[in-house]
Amino acid sequence: EVQLVESGGGLVQPGRSLKLSCAASGFTFSNYYMAWVRQAPKKGLEWVATISTSGSRTYYPDSVKGRFTISRDNAKSSLYLQMNSLKSEDTATYYCARHDTIAAFDYWGQGVMVTVSS
Amino acid sequence: DVVLTQTPSTLSATIGQSVSISCRSSQSLLDSAGNTYLYWYLQRPGQSPQLLIYLVSNLGSGVPNRFSGSGSGTDFTLKISGVEAEDLGVYYCMQATHAPLTFGSGTKLEIK
């Protein structure tokens, strides 16, 4: 059974940093692209980042480019999101998702809440 | 960025009723290789989104066949043939043909 478990969320002040983690199990982690998708409170879904199988290629929308960094450790079956220079508009639930080349986000974690506030 | 416009924003249905949700794209989602990267997701209350449909019309793993997807180019439809109570939630379309990946604003399905 595919499982994705996020951790590392919490309350952080504007301008500070936070690192999210996602522990994967139930599939061969190193064979899949992985992604982060977020959802602001009572809002829709926004893609945040994607990383290739080896980690050599990363992709971001303009809203987080230069501030967020996605990375992975295939030996630990773990995905990460380093978030710097956080803004109030980054407040959201962050989901880890398996990013299949055909089926897109076919499995999702339960999400972790990040609140950016002074 | 590609804008996906979903209609209606809210839908109320009785059990057993068939309903459709529209997703219209600001650009064609057909790529140069002939693929159309249009997806449908359902987010039930308090849960993570789950994949329903991939590549316009393919059913995700474990998804009941009362769900179906159709369309091409810029116009796409998700149909539920015989709504069940467990189908309530918010439905999102998503495109992955053009960077950045974008989602529609969602359609909330309520059960009467």
Side-chain angles (χ1 to χ4, degrees), chain A residues 39 45 95 102 105 108-110, chain B residues 39 41 43 48-49 92 103:
Chain A
Q39 185 172 36
L45 301 167
Y95 296 100
I102 298 298
F105 306 132
W108 299 62
Q110 84 287 352
Chain B
Y39 304 83
Y41 294 88
Q43 186 173 31
S48 307
Y92 295 95
F103 290 88

Side-chain angles (χ1 to χ4, degrees), chain A residues 5-9 19-23 36 78-81 96 112:
Chain A
V5 180
E6 303 94 336
S7 60
K19 186 173 185 176
L20 306 181
S21 299
C22 171
W36 290 96
S78 293
L79 178 72
Y80 307 101
L81 185 68
C96 166
V112 63

Side-chain angles (χ1 to χ4, degrees), chain A residues 37 39 43-47 50 61 95 99-111, chain B residues 1 37 39 41 43 47-51 54-55 61 92 94 96 99-105:
Chain A
V37 179
Q39 185 172 36
K43 298 294 185 182
L45 301 167
E46 180 187 18
W47 167 69
T50 289
Y95 296 100
H99 192 162
D100 185 85
T101 50
I102 298 298
F105 306 132
D106 58 349
Y107 289 94
W108 299 62
Q110 84 287 352
Chain B
D1 297 1
Y37 295 94
Y39 304 83
Y41 294 88
Q43 186 173 31
Q47 294 188 18
S48 307
Q50 65 173 97
L51 176 68
Y54 65 96
L55 298 182
S61 176
Y92 295 95
M94 185 196 83
L101 277 154
T102 51
F103 290 88
S105 56

Side-chain angles (χ1 to χ4, degrees), chain A residues 44-114:
Chain A
L45 301 167
E46 180 187 18
W47 167 69
V48 171
T50 289
I51 189 167
S52 63
T53 52
S54 66
S56 61
R57 288 168 291 172
T58 57
Y59 309 87
Y60 308 92
D62 287 346
S63 58
V64 306
K65 193 177 294 182
R67 298 189 301 122
F68 289 12
T69 302
I70 188 172
S71 62
R72 64 191 296 161
D73 184 335
N74 285 342
K76 295 182 178 180
S77 295
S78 293
L79 178 72
Y80 307 101
L81 185 68
Q82 176 68 46
M83 303 184 291
N84 298 332
S85 304
L86 282 161
K87 307 175 182 180
S88 58
E89 52 262 43
D90 295 319
T91 293
T93 295
Y94 285 73
Y95 296 100
C96 166
R98 193 173 81 170
H99 192 162
D100 185 85
T101 50
I102 298 298
F105 306 132
D106 58 349
Y107 289 94
W108 299 62
Q110 84 287 352
V112 63
M113 184 69 200
V114 173

Side-chain angles (χ1 to χ4, degrees), chain B residues 7-74:
Chain B
T7 55
S9 55
T10 305
L11 192 51
S12 187
T14 56
I15 301 299
Q17 183 180 353
S18 291
V19 298
S20 293
I21 299 170
S22 170
C23 176
R24 181 161 293 178
S25 175
S26 60
Q27 300 178 36
S28 174
L29 299 183
L30 178 66
D31 77 354
S32 56
N35 299 309
T36 302
Y37 295 94
L38 188 283
Y39 304 83
W40 290 96
Y41 294 88
L42 164 61
Q43 186 173 31
R44 295 189 174 101
Q47 294 188 18
S48 307
Q50 65 173 97
L51 176 68
L52 294 176
I53 301 284
Y54 65 96
L55 298 182
V56 180
S57 59
N58 295 277
L59 224 52
S61 176
V63 176
N65 60 12
R66 63 179 180 275
F67 291 94
S68 62
S70 63
S72 63
T74 60

